[in-house]
Amino acid sequence: MKKIRMGIIGIGNMGTAHANAIFQGKTEGLELTAVCDIDSGRLEWAKHNLGPDVFLYSDYRLMINEGKVDAVLIATPHCLHPSMAIDCFSAGLHVLTEKPSGIDILNVRKMNEAAQKSGKIFGIMYNQRTNPLFARLKELVEEGTLGDMKRFIWIVNNWYRSQAYYDSGKWRGSWMGEGGGVLINQAYHNLDIWQWITGMPKRLRAFCKYGHYHNITVEDDVTIYGEYENKASAVFITSTGEYPGTNRIEYSGTKGKAVIEEGVLKLYLYDMDEREFCFVSDESFPKMDIYYEEYKEQGPENGHIAILKNFADAILYNKPLLAPGYEGINGLIICNGAYISDWMDCWVDLPPDENLYLRFLKERQDSEGCIKKNYIASNSVDDYSERWKVRW
């Protein structure tokens, strides 16, 4: 069977996990042929662990232009994703980018335009889209089983991180390095799932706390209130400073309610649309008949490998992508909009002003100075650990 020759740019924690999975044959349709990193220590690790047939590069431009790869996985600091992806598309390569798609809408939009012009397959590592509970809720919403949306609430504050985590890399916990905090890093998956299920809100109001629980300059505690065209509302709460935290979704519609928590989707369906029932019932405190269903998460989750296999199948067999790279901009629109809302202390219509966001971001980067120089280097090499799965 034909295999896609895969190159990886960036073999830190996440890139290493992907490299191991592909090299060990866990991703049918993909063959690891090259890796790139500016850290000589990581290249030394690759030399001893990935075998002599994997080419090593310290400059990604050489890797993408020497004909050793058909596709590239980008696992570098966030701000580099769009420019590297654009270079890869220009070189005629397929691209799978780690999340987030970037740190600002303007450059991500340019990346999407380059992908469209290239005609190549473009995916993003939204591994949480493979979770069957999220996928089932999305189906229920799209099928109209729950009726018109009233409210969506997601408390996902089980992204706990210690100060040692933020001290483990030069780029972590800074506007210059990560381009933001919990929204752009940990909860970016959740922002994607939010809009994937409900669609994009029309406007939002956000409240962010910066360095609230840690010695960092970016946000580690956020509450977002969103409104939709039909006047439905959404509340999104996230943090890296609460332990053990909660991961709970509650979707309320006119025909039913769904709750996802602790690996279970609980479904409450009415025998009549509540909006109709409200005005035909002659009782002051009526009760509707409710039909209850329950779905449990089955088996171990390995969403990263599922996304990698799906990416290969899209190239080899023209199968639809579970997570098209073009859709990475949606969560970023919410994220950038939330920052502007907090900084300006006002409601923000979506999508927000791209240039206004870049101006605000630059102000914060300039006031922050250079990326921190004192940090604790981590030599750990991860496979797909529990912290990268959907955790309940």
Side-chain angles (χ1 to χ4, degrees), residues 91-301:
L93 302 174
H94 306 287
V95 173
L96 176 61
T97 182
E98 257 297 341
K99 62 81 186 169
S101 49
I103 63 173
D104 69 275
I105 303 167
L106 178 62
N107 282 296
V108 170
R109 181 170 54 77
K110 291 179 179 179
M111 174 177 67
N112 286 356
E113 291 169 355
Q116 177 107 32
K117 183 178 179 181
S118 75
K120 296 298 179 179
I121 299 297
F122 179 32
I124 187 169
M125 186 53 76
Y126 277 152
N127 57 292
Q128 295 202 7
R129 286 195 181 191
T130 67
N131 183 277
L133 301 186
F134 297 150
R136 179 58 181 150
L137 179 54
K138 177 179 171 62
E139 288 176 358
L140 292 167
V141 170
E142 292 179 343
E143 293 166 358
T145 302
L146 297 172
D148 295 331
M149 176 180 160
K150 291 181 176 180
R151 191 186 314 276
F152 177 86
I153 302 171
W154 198 348
I155 302 173
V156 56
N157 56 8
N158 63 341
W159 287 115
Y160 184 75
R161 295 292 186 267
S162 68
Q163 185 63 41
Y165 167 82
Y166 291 104
D167 291 341
S168 68
K170 291 181 180 180
W171 62 292
R172 292 197 183 281
S174 66
W175 295 108
M176 184 69 74
E178 287 190 288
V182 62
L183 286 180
I184 201 77
N185 191 335
Q186 290 80 21
Y188 197 76
H189 281 297
N190 309 109
L191 294 180
D192 171 63
I193 296 296
W194 168 12
Q195 64 82 32
W196 191 54
I197 291 172
T198 70
M200 292 288 287
K202 179 182 178 182
R203 65 174 190 157
L204 58 78
R205 181 72 175 89
F207 304 89
C208 304
K209 296 180 181 179
Y210 308 92
H212 186 58
Y213 296 111
H214 308 90
N215 295 324
I216 56 176
T217 56
V218 294
E219 85 287 354
D220 54 8
D221 187 273
V222 177
T223 299
I224 301 174
Y225 179 85
E227 285 189 351
Y228 291 76
E229 288 284 354
N230 71 343
K231 304 304 180 182
S233 62
V235 178
F236 183 86
I237 300 170
T238 191
S239 172
T240 57
E242 298 178 58
Y243 190 87
T246 298
N247 189 349
R248 175 185 170 92
I249 289 177
E250 185 168 319
Y251 182 103
S252 178
T254 59
K255 294 182 179 179
K257 173 177 130 176
V259 176
I260 301 179
E261 189 173 21
E262 296 182 347
V264 178
L265 188 159
K266 298 178 180 180
L267 186 62
Y268 306 84
L269 298 177
Y270 317 143
D271 61 352
M272 185 178 188
D273 190 295
E274 183 278 328
R275 289 291 75 205
E276 180 182 355
F277 180 80
C278 176
F279 295 102
V280 300
S281 175
D282 57 6
E283 298 180 48
S284 297
F285 304 97
K287 291 184 178 180
M288 290 189 289
D289 291 334
I290 294 177
Y291 173 71
Y292 178 77
E293 291 182 19
E294 197 172 275
Y295 301 87
K296 293 186 177 180
E297 193 174 19
Q298 300 295 323
E301 177 200 2

Side-chain angles (χ1 to χ4, degrees), residues 4 28-29 308-320:
I4 302 301
E28 186 177 344
L308 286 166
K309 288 181 177 179
N310 174 246
F311 180 69
D313 287 344
I315 298 171
L316 294 170
Y317 311 116
N318 201 32
K319 289 189 177 181

Side-chain angles (χ1 to χ4, degrees), residues 13-85:
N13 278 343
M14 202 69 252
T16 296
H18 296 319
N20 282 335
I22 299 171
F23 180 71
Q24 294 166 10
K26 296 178 181 179
T27 55
E28 186 177 344
L30 296 178
E31 176 187 9
L32 186 66
T33 57
V35 295
C36 176
D37 204 293
I38 59 173
D39 184 338
S40 60
R42 298 310 301 141
L43 292 179
E44 189 67 20
W45 171 87
K47 178 181 178 181
H48 292 289
N49 290 273
L50 299 179
D53 295 329
V54 176
F55 293 90
L56 309 180
Y57 294 89
S58 58
D59 186 335
Y60 81 93
R61 296 174 187 83
L62 292 177
M63 186 183 83
I64 67 176
N65 287 303
E66 287 194 348
K68 307 297 185 185
V69 298
D70 306 306
V72 169
L73 193 162
I74 301 172
T76 59
H78 306 156
C79 61
L80 300 175
H81 293 179
S83 60
M84 287 182 168

